[in-house]
Amino acid sequence: DAGITQSPRHKVTETGTPVTLRCHQTENHRYMYWYRQDPGHGLRLIHYSYGVKDTDKGEVSDGYSVSRSKTEDFLLTLESATSSQTSVYFCAISQTLRQDLPLSEAFFGQGTRLTVV
Amino acid sequence: GENVEQHPSTLSVQEGDSAVIKCTYSDSASNYFPWYKQELGKRPQLIIDIRSNVGEKKDQRIAVTLNKTAKHFSLHITETQPEDSAVYFCAASLNTGTASKLTFGTGTRLQVTL
C-alpha cells in the first residue's frame, strides 16, 4: 500500500466546534485531495492541492478550508461543524511525470468517519 | 468544471455472467479515466485505467473502453465471481498543467449472486 495515512480514523464532535482532519503521505506526491463520501453521492471533491501552499476548491467546498505547509501534510478544517458535514472523509494522493502528462494512479487513505451531533 | 455521470446505480448479475457499467463525462479536455473498486468499509482501490490516446484496455477479466467523440467510457467484467461484489466508481481527470482534479461518478453497486 502507498504511504498515506489519515488521522483520526473516527471522530464524534458537537455542532459548532472546529474540527481538523490530517492527511500524511510519504510518497512525495504533488497532488493531494480531500473527498467526502455520502450514500447516493459517490466521492465528491472538497479541496485539492497541487503543491505547497497551492490549493483550490472542489465542488463542495463551502464550510471547509485546507492548508498545505509541507509536501507530506494536507489538513482539512471544518471551522464550525454542522450535522450536514457528517460523512466519511477520504484523502487521496496522485502524481504526474510531467506537466503535460495525465495523472498517475490516485491512492486513497483509510478514511475518517466524522459524526457531528 | 468536469461532470461525470455513471449508470446504473445498482446492478445484479448471476455468477459467470458479464457486467457492464457506463460513464459519461462533460469536458473534452479530460485525458485520464480510472475505475475504482470499493469493498464495504474499505478505501477505493484502482482496478484499471485508460488514457485518452487509447480506445480499449484489458486486464484479465476486466476491460475498459473509451469513446472520446461521444465522451463516454465503460467497464466490462466478464465471468463475474462473488468477490466482484462491491461498489465501482468511474472517474475523469482534467489536467490543466498546474492542477489536476479527479472527478468521480456516483458509483455502481454490483452484486454477484450464486
Side-chain angles (χ1 to χ4, degrees):
Chain A
D1 286 343
I4 174 170
T5 56
Q6 292 181 227
S7 59
R9 294 291 315 279
H10 303 272
K11 186 170 182 65
V12 179
T13 192
E14 293 186 349
T15 299
T17 60
V19 177
T20 296
L21 309 183
R22 181 184 184 232
C23 179
H24 179 77
Q25 60 145 330
T26 57
E27 303 295 322
N28 200 36
H29 279 14
R30 178 180 181 184
Y31 301 104
M32 298 186 75
Y33 310 86
W34 276 108
Y35 291 91
R36 61 177 289 173
Q37 184 172 33
D38 306 287
H41 293 278
L43 292 154
R44 292 182 292 176
L45 183 64
I46 305 171
H47 282 279
Y48 67 101
S49 170
Y50 48 97
V52 174
K53 297 186 180 180
D54 291 324
T55 65
D56 204 352
K57 296 179 180 180
E59 61 182 306
V60 291
S61 60
D62 287 349
Y64 301 95
S65 62
V66 291
S67 66
R68 192 172 179 194
S69 58
K70 299 183 290 183
T71 298
E72 56 267 33
D73 289 326
F74 193 33
L75 304 180
L76 176 71
T77 297
L78 290 66
E79 302 291 346
S80 177
T82 68
S83 58
S84 65
Q85 294 176 311
T86 293
S87 186
V88 177
Y89 292 85
F90 282 100
C91 175
I93 62 174
S94 188
Q95 186 67 300
T96 56
L97 297 178
R98 285 202 324 256
Q99 297 281 18
D100 60 332
L101 291 179
L103 285 177
S104 62
E105 175 180 358
F107 296 97
F108 283 81
Q110 323 96 301
T112 296
R113 183 173 296 277
L114 177 67
T115 303
V116 183
V117 297
Chain B
E2 178 64 277
N3 182 50
V4 178
E5 294 190 358
Q6 182 172 350
H7 300 281
S9 57
T10 60
L11 180 60
S12 181
V13 300
Q14 285 197 321
E15 183 179 8
D17 288 349
S18 294
V20 180
I21 303 170
K22 299 182 178 181
C23 289
T24 61
Y25 61 99
S26 60
D27 197 320
S28 57
S30 290
N31 57 7
Y32 174 62
F33 307 92
W35 285 88
Y36 283 79
K37 176 183 180 181
Q38 186 180 27
E39 298 176 344
L40 190 62
K42 301 285 184 63
R43 73 187 84 186
Q45 292 194 298
L46 182 76
I47 55 171
I48 194 167
D49 57 12
I50 191 168
R51 288 178 168 79
S52 58
N53 58 347
V54 176
E56 184 174 358
K57 184 177 178 180
K58 189 174 182 180
D59 183 3
Q60 298 183 336
R61 295 186 298 107
I62 61 173
V64 58
T65 58
L66 172 64
N67 183 328
K68 287 198 67 182
T69 302
K71 290 188 285 187
H72 67 69
F73 56 113
S74 301
L75 177 71
H76 304 253
I77 306 174
T78 59
E79 300 172 19
T80 54
Q81 300 168 4
E83 52 264 38
D84 293 329
S85 295
V87 178
Y88 292 81
F89 293 98
C90 63
S93 172
L94 177 60
N95 189 345
T96 64
T98 56
S100 287
K101 293 197 291 186
L102 195 57
T103 302
F104 284 84
T106 50
T108 296
R109 182 174 299 278
L110 174 64
Q111 183 170 4
V112 180
T113 58
L114 298 175

